[in-house]
Amino acid sequence: MLHSAPATAKAFTPEDVTKLYDAAKATKNRETLTDLILLGAYTGARIEELCQLQAQDIVTEEGIKCFYFYDGKTAASERHTPIHPAIQDTVERLIRDSKDGFLIESPAGNKYGNRSDALSKQFGRLKTSLNYNSQFVFHSFRKTVITQLQRADVPGILIASIVGHETGTVTFDVYSAGPSPKQKHDAISKLKYELKT
């Protein structure tokens, strides 16, 4: 079950993403959180969607390697999101090192089968230590991705297909098979951060 994020959540700037990533990387025993931040910043996926990803959910569609998200809140949540070139090596390492098929190691699921709880709390402590207030949550990465793509002149329909939102129009939500994997890959490749992975 996925939780809705507060509508008041604010987007991180690309500089914020670097700060959070570097802080997680510098903290002992936070490798999993560091990887999760990386995946969030380059996919715009919800934290639980990322924690549910398994090696078998990495699929190749029309020659493009993608994450296949299918356990979402709405029909539009089911989507193929191309793997950004910057995280290709990280994804391959996560697949290689996985002990249970999941890309992101989770201390344990809660009673609802939610795998992201402990990591969400870790992230909360990390961002609080960097003086981010309650308007900044993991879901803020989703807003960062959408904002960056919009500012890179990526069409709204393309952004919606990458992050799993409905467009609100029958033409695109009902009749279209959606943008091609290459269109989505070209769009997502416009996400840029100063990260030393």
Side-chain angles (χ1 to χ4, degrees):
M1 191 177 124
L2 297 168
H3 300 290
S4 290
T8 56
K10 281 189 169 171
F12 290 120
T13 64
E15 293 73 27
D16 290 330
V17 173
T18 304
K19 194 170 155 186
L20 289 155
Y21 176 79
D22 288 347
K25 203 172 175 180
T27 310
K28 209 170 177 230
N29 301 322
R30 288 291 173 263
E31 294 82 5
T32 303
L33 183 61
T34 307
D35 289 334
L36 191 60
I37 287 170
L38 202 59
L39 295 184
Y42 281 106
T43 63
R46 300 168 181 93
I47 189 169
E48 185 62 21
E49 287 179 324
L50 294 170
C51 289
Q52 292 290 349
L53 273 177
Q54 297 188 48
Q56 68 198 26
D57 301 326
I58 306 300
V59 298
T60 302
E61 195 187 17
E62 293 176 28
I64 306 282
K65 268 203 163 134
C66 299
F67 294 110
Y68 175 41
F69 295 109
Y70 53 86
D71 192 16
K73 294 197 304 186
T74 63
S77 298
E78 184 176 331
R79 64 200 184 277
H80 289 95
T81 300
I83 298 173
H84 192 291
I87 58 170
Q88 196 83 50
D89 291 347
T90 302
V91 172
E92 282 168 18
R93 171 176 54 78
L94 291 172
I95 293 169
R96 209 172 43 241
D97 296 351
S98 174
K99 294 173 183 68
D100 56 5
F102 288 99
L103 295 196
I104 295 293
E105 202 177 322
S106 170
N110 67 9
K111 63 183 178 191
Y112 305 108
N114 185 318
R115 299 186 78 252
S116 63
D117 262 17
L119 289 159
S120 184
K121 289 186 178 101
Q122 273 183 26
F123 181 75
R125 288 191 292 272
L126 177 77
K127 61 106 183 178
T128 303
S129 75
L130 296 171
N131 298 320
Y132 289 98
N133 64 25
S134 61
Q135 288 181 296
F136 292 97
V137 290
F138 194 89
H139 207 79
S140 297
F141 289 117
R142 194 164 167 75
K143 294 196 169 195
T144 303
V145 167
I146 293 167
T147 303
Q148 270 212 67
L149 293 177
Q150 187 178 19
R151 290 179 181 178
D153 294 323
V154 174
I157 291 154
L158 202 44
I159 297 172
S161 75
I162 288 169
V163 299
H165 280 159
E166 290 175 354
T167 65
T169 66
V170 172
T171 308
F172 296 113
D173 292 337
V174 178
Y175 291 98
S176 174
S180 73
K182 185 185 184 312
Q183 284 176 301
K184 291 195 281 187
H185 181 269
D186 291 349
I188 213 161
S189 296
K190 294 183 176 188
L191 291 172
K192 301 260 191 291
Y193 304 102
E194 300 293 321
L195 301 181
K196 291 168 190 69
T197 54

